Amino acid sequence: MSLTLEVVEKLSSAAKAKAKEIGVPMNIAVVDEGANLKAFHRMDNAWLGSIDISIKKAKTARFFDMNSGEIGKLSQPGQPLYNIEHSNGGLITFPGGVVLNDESGNVIGAIGVSGGTVEQDHEVATAGADALRS
């Protein structure tokens, strides 16, 4: 499975629906297996400063094939990836970036969301990622 435009639109729609449900306008980015931007949506009134963050969350998740919040845990002082956020042109190491896997478990991309609390961002990104299975 690859991230076709049809699949990406399905993921984005699910993420936007979750954002509307919780009442928080979001920036939603989807990257492909090469961490190239495949789609981006800025909901009305979503923070301008979160545009770059959503894209970097998606890229961070894909670069390391783990959710951005997990990298955040490993990048704290005294942890093995401390200061990694300064690599790759800047990473975002808090929740909101979720890896996308196909049916076989292969990484095919990632979704990144920003505009609310990190918990809300992760919730919306997860809703988008879960749409891959429906």
Side-chain angles (χ1 to χ4, degrees), residues 10-28 43 111 113 116 119-131:
K10 182 179 175 181
L11 304 181
S12 297
S13 291
K16 286 187 284 187
K18 178 55 86 172
K20 287 178 186 174
E21 178 185 313
I22 64 173
V24 180
M26 298 282 191
N27 291 288
I28 301 161
M43 296 175 70
I111 184 170
V113 175
E119 293 82 9
Q120 290 168 326
D121 293 353
H122 182 74
E123 180 181 10
V124 171
T126 299
D130 287 349

Side-chain angles (χ1 to χ4, degrees), residues 74-80 82:
L74 297 170
S75 66
Q76 297 303 305
Q79 295 302 309
Y82 181 59

Side-chain angles (χ1 to χ4, degrees), residues 37-113:
L37 188 62
K38 184 79 178 186
F40 176 81
H41 296 270
R42 178 176 175 258
M43 296 175 70
D44 293 342
N45 301 312
W47 293 334
L48 292 173
S50 291
I51 293 170
D52 184 56
I53 293 170
S54 66
I55 295 168
K56 285 184 177 174
K57 282 182 181 183
K59 287 184 174 189
T60 297
R62 177 56 187 113
F63 284 161
F64 299 99
D65 294 342
M66 68 177 80
N67 292 350
S68 58
E70 293 305 309
I71 296 170
K73 293 174 187 175
L74 297 170
S75 66
Q76 297 303 305
Q79 295 302 309
L81 298 180
Y82 181 59
N83 276 329
I84 195 168
E85 63 273 9
H86 301 292
S87 70
N88 294 286
L91 302 175
I92 300 295
T93 60
F94 43 86
V98 175
V99 176
L100 301 172
N101 299 90
D102 66 12
E103 304 85 21
S104 301
N106 299 312
V107 177
I108 58 171
I111 184 170
V113 175

